[in-house]
């Protein structure tokens, strides 16, 4: 298996894609990470993770780092004057166009957490890009958090919505790595633009009032599969994932992974992608489902 770092130039920024492939590349797969993390949620340099698993089985894998995250340059410490708007309207189309130019065939897109919200927002704004997509997979992707338990009040209401913007305002980003609150940092503008989406029932853009709820109804969504873990109590709670599916693509397939459902583990928000047993559990099911595109 071969791994290399590719970069897309966009003004003063270089967006990173980790390219993972074995022998001759097959159908391309773009992978989009969520908040407080980077593309490493999908792969390790030693060959673990869903990205490496799919590459091992013939897919041409591209794991993205959004602007300022992971190996993208410059880091948020150097330039944090960008947010969710740029992720939706600049980063995602640049990733898709780059892969399309290299592969010249439709791609699968796999998202974790907020990465799925960003992708659906992009497609709601740009429904013509659906033709470039074969199938969609979402892990723990939700928009509004409806839960009211103590963990939600502490981590979302108090820390994320109230304290984090205050901590981020001076430096224009919040150092979540230093705070041991995440595996990557977030910009002040990202917080301002994304926090309202966590609590507002109407899905509208904070900058131009674009109505994603209405636009989503007109999208001819590719075959889509949402998965979350039974132990995901907050960031991808099954109820919240269900609400997100209902407001964006009600026809999508939905699975809650648990021992009672026949899985090997009661998965949570992170180990649904990182657990060592995933390669024997739901990863093969995803592989089979993606391969069905070849026979359609």
């Amino acid at each position: 298996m071969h791994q290399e770092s590719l970069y897309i130039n966009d003004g003063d920024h270089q967006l990173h894609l980790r390219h993972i492939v074995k022998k001759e590349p097959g159908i391309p797969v773009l992978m989009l990470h969520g908040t407080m993390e980077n593309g490493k949620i999908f792969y390790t340099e030693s060959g673990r993770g869903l990205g490496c698993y799919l590459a091992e089985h013939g897919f041409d894998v591209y794991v993205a780092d959004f602007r300022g995250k992971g190996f993208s340059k410059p880091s948020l410490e150097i330039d944090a004057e960008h947010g969710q708007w740029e992720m939706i309207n600049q980063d995602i189309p640049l990733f898709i166009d780059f892969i399309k130019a290299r592969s010249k065939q439709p791609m699968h897109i796999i998202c974790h957490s907020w990465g799925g919200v960003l992708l659906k927002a992009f497609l709601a704004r740009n429904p013509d890009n659906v033709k470039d997509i074969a199938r969609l997979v979402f892990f723990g992707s939700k928009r509004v958090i409806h839960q009211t338990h103590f963990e939600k009040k502490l981590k979302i209401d108090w820390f994320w919505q109230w304290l984090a913007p205050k901590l981020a305002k001076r430096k224009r980003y919040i150092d979540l790595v230093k705070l041991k609150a995440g595996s990557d940092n977030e910009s002040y503008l990202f917080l301002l633009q994304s926090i309202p989406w966590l609590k507002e029932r109407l899905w509208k853009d904070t900058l131009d009032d674009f109505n994603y709820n209405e636009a989503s109804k007109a999208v001819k969504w590719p075959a889509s599969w949402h998965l979350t873990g039974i132990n995901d109590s907050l960031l991808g709670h099954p109820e919240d994932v269900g609400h997100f599916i209902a407001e964006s693509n009600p026809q999508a397939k939905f699975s809650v992974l648990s021992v009672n459902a026949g899985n090997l583990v009661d998965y949570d928000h992170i180990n649904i992608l990182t657990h060592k047993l995933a390669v024997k559990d739901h990863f093969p099911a995803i592989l089979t489902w993606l391969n069905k595109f070849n026979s359609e």
Side-chain angles (χ1 to χ4, degrees):
M1 189 185 304
H2 174 68
Q3 294 191 27
E4 62 179 335
S5 288
L6 306 175
Y7 289 92
I8 304 170
N9 293 320
D10 184 39
D12 294 331
H13 287 265
Q14 290 182 300
L15 303 182
H16 176 253
L17 284 167
R18 189 68 169 179
H19 184 216
I20 311 172
V21 67
K22 182 178 181 180
K23 297 182 180 179
E24 293 298 319
I27 293 177
V29 178
L30 169 62
M31 311 187 88
L32 300 174
H33 65 79
T35 307
M36 300 188 294
E37 62 184 20
N38 54 51
K40 283 292 191 80
I41 189 70
F42 292 114
Y43 75 96
T44 67
E45 294 179 2
S46 63
R48 295 184 62 182
L50 180 58
C52 297
Y53 177 86
L54 292 176
E56 185 71 28
H57 288 83
F59 287 93
D60 189 19
V61 177
Y62 297 83
V63 184
D65 283 326
F66 280 110
R67 190 171 303 248
K69 310 293 288 293
F71 294 110
S72 288
K73 305 172 185 178
S75 65
L76 291 178
E77 291 91 333
I78 298 172
D79 180 4
E81 292 306 311
H82 50 83
Q84 179 170 262
W85 175 269
E86 286 77 14
M87 292 176 173
I88 295 169
N89 297 289
Q90 292 176 235
D91 297 1
I92 292 177
L94 284 169
F95 292 140
I96 290 175
D97 288 347
F98 180 87
I99 296 169
K100 184 168 62 172
R102 284 173 62 100
S103 66
K104 297 178 174 57
Q105 60 179 314
M107 68 195 74
H108 301 302
I109 303 183
I110 298 177
C111 306
H112 182 231
S113 196
W114 201 254
V117 180
L118 299 176
L119 177 66
K120 286 196 176 185
F122 166 75
L123 291 174
R125 283 181 173 272
N126 303 276
D128 288 346
N129 280 97
V130 168
K131 69 180 183 300
D132 301 321
I133 300 171
R135 293 194 159 198
L136 299 174
V137 180
F138 303 87
F139 288 93
S141 291
K142 55 82 196 56
R143 184 177 70 83
V144 177
I145 298 179
H146 297 83
Q147 308 312 302
T148 58
H149 48 58
F150 177 76
E151 184 185 15
K152 191 263 184 179
K153 294 180 186 300
L154 176 64
K155 295 182 178 180
I156 302 300
D157 297 349
W158 180 75
F159 177 74
W160 192 248
Q161 296 182 358
W162 183 79
L163 183 59
K166 291 177 171 55
L167 295 176
K169 189 172 183 178
R170 184 174 65 86
K171 289 186 177 181
R172 308 298 289 176
Y173 77 97
I174 181 169
D175 194 335
L176 294 161
V177 176
K178 185 176 181 180
L179 293 172
K180 302 187 185 314
S183 58
D184 213 321
N185 305 322
E186 296 295 346
S187 73
Y188 178 60
L189 291 177
F190 174 81
L191 294 172
L192 295 185
Q193 294 165 13
S194 63
I195 284 174
W197 287 14
L198 289 171
K199 51 189 177 182
E200 293 179 1
R201 301 303 170 92
L202 183 61
W203 189 13
K204 294 181 68 176
D205 199 272
T206 58
L207 296 184
D208 67 356
D209 285 332
F210 184 87
N211 190 320
Y212 294 100
N213 287 125
E214 286 300 316
S216 293
K217 296 175 183 177
V219 177
K220 295 182 179 179
W221 295 100
S224 303
W225 189 3
H226 282 258
L227 304 95
T228 196
I230 191 66
N231 278 351
D232 195 333
S233 60
L234 181 62
L235 299 179
H237 192 285
E239 291 179 1
D240 295 334
V241 173
H243 283 294
F244 184 48
I245 294 170
E247 75 170 351
S248 57
N249 178 20
Q251 289 74 43
K253 179 180 179 180
F254 182 28
S255 299
V256 180
L257 306 185
S258 69
V259 173
N260 284 342
N263 298 102
L264 300 176
V265 177
D266 286 332
Y267 292 97
D268 61 28
H269 196 64
I270 299 300
N271 72 12
I272 195 171
L273 286 170
T274 62
H275 199 287
K276 64 181 180 181
L277 292 179
V279 295
K280 299 178 181 180
D281 199 355
H282 51 288
F283 284 9
I286 292 165
L287 176 66
T288 299
W289 189 77
L290 293 178
N291 280 331
K292 285 182 180 179
F293 175 74
N294 297 332
S295 60
E296 291 177 349

